[in-house]
Amino acid sequence: MSSPDLSCNDANILAHLGDEYSAHNDAVVPPVYLSSLFVVPKEELGASKPGKFSYSRAGNPTVDIFEQKVAALERAEEAAAFSSGMAAITSSIFANIKAGEHIVAVDTVYGGMRHLVQEYLSRFNVEVSYVPGDRIEQFEEAIKPNTKIIYLESPSSIVFMLQDLRAVAELAKKKGIITIIDNSWATPLLQKPITMGIDISLHSASKYLGGHSDIVAGVAAGSAAMIDKIRNVRSIYGGTLQPMEAWLAIRGLRTLKLRVKTEGQTAMFIAKKLESHPRVRKVNYPGLASYPQRSLALSQMSGFSSPLSFELDCSESEGMEFVRRIKWFASGPSWGGFESLIYWFGGERRLVRIHTGLEDKETLWKDLKDSLDEIK
Ligand SMILES: Cc1ncc(COP(=O)(O)O)c(C=O)c1O
């Protein structure tokens, strides 16, 4: 049922792109191709393999449907799916870097990416310069003759800082540098980095795309030539998405629009309430009118999802007690699923991150307020 107009309407892409009823005994839901191998007809021995699939480390029909959907949502030519967000990150980087080269990354980047650079890329003398990323001059100043990648995360997932995607893409293009963005928070529904000139838009699909906290998965989207390069790395490093997880990711995508909308509305409701609570010093949420990068947010995103973070006016132990009293938010470092979560980062800022799930927003706010009111 793939038809050209599906490819530019997100709701239709989410619901139907990749449906081919007649290819699957008229099943309304495509099956899970739990097959490692796709055989060659004996009469074609010696010729190059006619079908699209040969071995599931390189490609699989169920995984292919997930990839097609994400590519269409991102307005990219192609996408490659991975066994985790980290596999998407490592493969996208290894496809574009050689020993002795340099990366510029935002300093609020996801911890796993920081670890990759520090512990592993350093073994190949790949250096990284971190920049706050809120002014284009910071990128200009950090670029060296051997810079090959600018790595962005906008909004970042702890303090929700933004980078100007159009400006960074323009600068990088002039210098022949590849741009990569972790687009997990906004999802391709709220932000389409490829249309703003970014080369690779990647996701931890363990978050919103899967959306049910039942899979670990990743995906990277970009031009056909770029994704071909990344797929070659994936084939050799072996971090390919498995068919069952791809099927669950496709199921997750069917409700992505509904989940992002509801969870984003709840996040906005709670962010505003938190802003006016006397125990809250600061709320970090790009949807708020008070958010310092508000105009940039509106110029490159079409809406706001969850999570958000806030800073408490209390001691470290009072902050932890605040989290312990909370009933509706389980404590854990992930986000993007159906369930509300809270995570204590603490430190001088007494930082707390919450992901607002699909529960009733008034119930969630009452839970937070009751616990905030108890801080002395
Ligand atoms: C912003 C962000 N990017 C990437 C990742 C890594 O994704 P995964 O856990 O699917 O490997 C995470 C995981 O928490 C994340 O929060």
Side-chain angles (χ1 to χ4, degrees), residues 20 75 88 94 109 129 172 174 223 242 317-318 326 363 365:
E20 280 196 53
R75 309 293 188 261
F94 281 116
V109 80
S129 303
K174 266 191 231 148
S223 69
Q242 296 299 302
S317 61
E318 284 169 336
I326 298 282
T363 308
W365 169 240

Side-chain angles (χ1 to χ4, degrees), residues 83-87 89 109-112 151 153 155-157 182 184-185 202-207 215-218 333-335 353:
S83 54
S84 66
M86 275 313 298
I89 294 171
V109 80
Y110 172 64
Y151 189 94
E153 191 179 309
S156 60
S157 63
D182 185 328
S184 305
W185 189 89
L202 58 81
H203 297 264
S204 166
S206 328
K207 308 292 184 282
I215 56 166
V216 172
S334 196
W335 49 276
R353 182 176 71 186

Side-chain angles (χ1 to χ4, degrees), residues 9-12 14 189 252-262:
N9 182 300
D10 289 345
N12 297 341
L14 291 169
L189 296 184
L253 283 182
R254 292 199 185 99
T255 55
L256 181 67
K257 204 166 178 197
L258 309 174
R259 289 184 286 106
V260 167
K261 188 173 171 202
T262 305

